[in-house]
Each structure stands twice: as structure tokens, then as C-alpha cells.
């Protein structure tokens, strides 16, 4: 049983890591587009964020999985479900991360931008060297909550037939007519989140450079 659940855990971890690698930088881009002074871009980004946050992730995954066939008649390969899963998680979480980034960016006092301009920094240099480091420090607790939620949301990949840990536990529970696989899977999710919490706490302490 444990071997099967751990094999599912590898897929769970793969979805988790892939989502973070894609959604964290994409969230910055979306946040900047959301704050753009070019109104059509800002409105389009607001619409994207609204759809991503206002509809279930499970529905978004199903739309990506079956949309190409039902909308355009395209026959996707067997591996498409993994790509659909990755795309779905990334674009969904990028919307949430974008709003967190936006709140952090807007919390930076305007005087810092003015001081950077006086020192000769370009807008890109100001953002990368002055604003972004402060934003990361301020938004880390909120980002941590989303990252922990992501660990649990990986179980939604089961709707695409991806045998991550929850799917494996479900199959084992059905074959053994037992709740034990679910209990073990729950314990593994908890340990996974505990490790994530420890990593986030360590990062917070490193960034808390104003206190010992």
C-alpha cells in the first residue's frame, strides 16, 4: 500500500513544483498588467483574474482537458492530460499570486520610487532592486497560505485521470473496502504541508533582517 501511495506522492510533488515554477513568475507579469495604465490591458487582466478566482479549479482543468476536442475537434495525445493539468494549475494560481503581488507592490511608499529616480535608476532597476525584495518580504505570509492550499489542491488532478496520491488512495480504498488508505494519504498530505511550513518559516526568518 505504501509503495503505491508514495508513487502517487511523486506525481503530487511534480504538480506542486511545476505549478510554483510557472505561477510565481507569471503572477508578477499578471500583477504588472493588472496595474498597467493602458486600460484595455488592465481590464483584460482583471477579467482573467476574475474568471480564474470565480470558477472552480476542477472546472478549469476539465475545460482545458476536453475543450480542444469539443470546441475545435482536435484529437489530443495521451500526454495531453499532464499538460492540461500543468497549464490549469499554473494559470489558476498565477491569478491568486498576482493579487498578492499587487497588494505588496502598492504598499511600497511612492517616495521610494522618487528616490530611485533621483539616484538614476531605471523603472526596471527600481522594480527589481528596490521594490521586489521588499514586496517578497511583505507578502510571504500570504503566499505561504496559497502554497499550502496548493498542496491540497493537487488532489483535483484526479478529474483528469492522473494517478496522484489522492487517486491512488481512492483506488486502494475501493479495492480493499477500507478507509485506511485515505487516513494514510491524509497523514502524508499533513507531513508534506509541515515540511512546506518549515521551509517558509525558515525563509521568513532569513528575510526578517531587522530583528535578531
Amino acid at each position: 500500500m505504501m509503495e503505491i501511495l508514495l508513487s502517487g506522492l511523486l506525481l503530487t510533488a511534480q504538480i506542486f513544483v511545476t505549478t510554483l515554477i510557472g505561477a510565481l513568475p507569471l503572477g508578477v507579469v499578471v500583477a504588472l498588467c493588472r496595474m498597467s495604465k493602458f486600460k484595455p490591458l488592465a481590464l483584460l487582466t482583471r477579467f482573467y483574474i476574475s474568471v480564474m478566482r470565480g470558477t472552480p479549479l476542477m472546472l478549469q482543468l476539465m475545460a482545458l482537458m476536453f475543450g480542444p476536442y469539443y470546441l475545435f475537434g482536435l484529437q489530443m495525445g495521451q500526454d495531453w492530460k499532464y499538460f492540461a493539468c500543468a497549464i490549469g494549475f499554473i494559470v489558476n494560481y498565477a491569478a491568486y499570486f498576482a493579487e498578492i503581488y499587487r497588494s505588496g507592490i502598492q504598499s511600497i511608499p511612492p517616495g521610494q520610487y522618487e528616490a530611485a529616480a533621483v539616484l538614476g535608476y531605471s523603472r526596471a532597476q527600481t522594480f527589481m532592486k528596490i521594490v521586489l525584495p521588499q514586496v517578497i518580504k511583505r507578502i510571504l505570509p500570504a503566499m505561504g497560505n496559497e502554497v499550502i492550499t496548493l498542496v491540497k489542491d493537487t488532489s483535483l488532478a484526479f478529474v483528469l485521470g492522473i494517478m496522484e496520491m489522492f487517486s491512488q488512495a481512492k483506488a486502494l480504498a475501493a479495492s480493499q473496502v477500507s478507509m485506511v488508505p485515505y487516513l494514510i494519504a491524509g497523514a502524508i498530505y499533513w507531513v508534506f504541508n509541515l515540511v512546506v511550513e518549515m521551509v517558509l518559516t525558515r525563509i521568513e526568518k532569513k528575510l526578517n533582517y531587522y530583528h535578531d
Side-chain angles (χ1 to χ4, degrees):
M1 180 189 301
M2 283 302 300
E3 184 179 349
I4 295 175
L5 288 176
L6 290 177
S7 68
L9 177 61
L10 290 176
L11 268 177
T12 294
Q14 183 178 333
I15 296 169
F16 174 78
V17 172
T18 300
T19 302
L20 289 184
I21 290 174
L24 286 173
L26 180 58
V28 176
V29 176
V30 174
L32 294 176
C33 292
R34 170 71 173 79
M35 295 184 293
S36 173
K37 294 180 180 179
F38 182 56
K39 289 296 183 182
L41 178 60
L43 288 173
L44 182 62
T45 307
R46 287 182 65 179
F47 176 74
Y48 154 69
I49 293 173
S50 177
V51 171
M52 290 298 104
R53 297 199 304 172
T55 58
L57 175 55
M58 183 184 296
L59 181 60
Q60 295 167 22
L61 292 173
M62 293 174 67
L64 281 166
M65 178 68 180
F66 304 110
Y69 176 75
Y70 287 107
L71 294 176
F72 308 108
L74 298 176
Q75 292 283 355
M76 310 303 288
Q78 183 63 28
D79 291 336
W80 172 242
K81 62 183 178 182
Y82 298 105
F83 289 108
C85 179
I87 294 169
F89 272 91
I90 288 171
V91 298
N92 178 273
Y93 269 84
Y96 286 92
F97 289 157
E99 287 297 271
I100 296 174
Y101 284 132
R102 184 171 68 89
S103 67
I105 293 170
Q106 292 179 337
S107 71
I108 303 299
Q112 295 201 25
Y113 294 92
E114 295 168 2
V118 170
L119 293 172
Y121 281 82
S122 66
R123 293 184 64 180
Q125 289 174 324
T126 300
F127 181 77
M128 295 302 298
K129 295 184 178 181
I130 297 176
V131 176
L132 191 58
Q134 295 181 75
V135 168
I136 292 172
K137 183 177 184 295
R138 295 184 183 195
I139 67 174
L140 195 57
M143 293 291 284
N145 287 335
E146 288 299 324
V147 171
I148 288 171
T149 300
L150 172 59
V151 174
K152 295 175 288 185
D153 277 354
T154 56
S155 62
L156 295 176
F158 84 93
V159 299
L160 303 185
I162 295 175
M163 296 303 290
E164 42 67 56
M165 187 167 61
F166 178 78
S167 299
Q168 296 286 14
K170 185 179 178 181
L172 286 169
S175 63
Q176 298 179 6
V177 194
S178 170
M179 289 294 293
V180 173
Y182 285 126
L183 294 175
I184 296 175
I188 295 174
Y189 277 119
W190 176 70
V191 172
F192 195 152
N193 270 324
L194 191 61
V195 172
V196 171
E197 286 180 31
M198 291 171 62
V199 171
L200 291 171
T201 300
R202 189 174 182 84
I203 294 173
E204 281 192 56
K205 286 182 177 179
K206 282 187 175 293
L207 292 177
N208 196 21
Y209 33 72
Y210 293 123
H211 301 88
D212 292 329

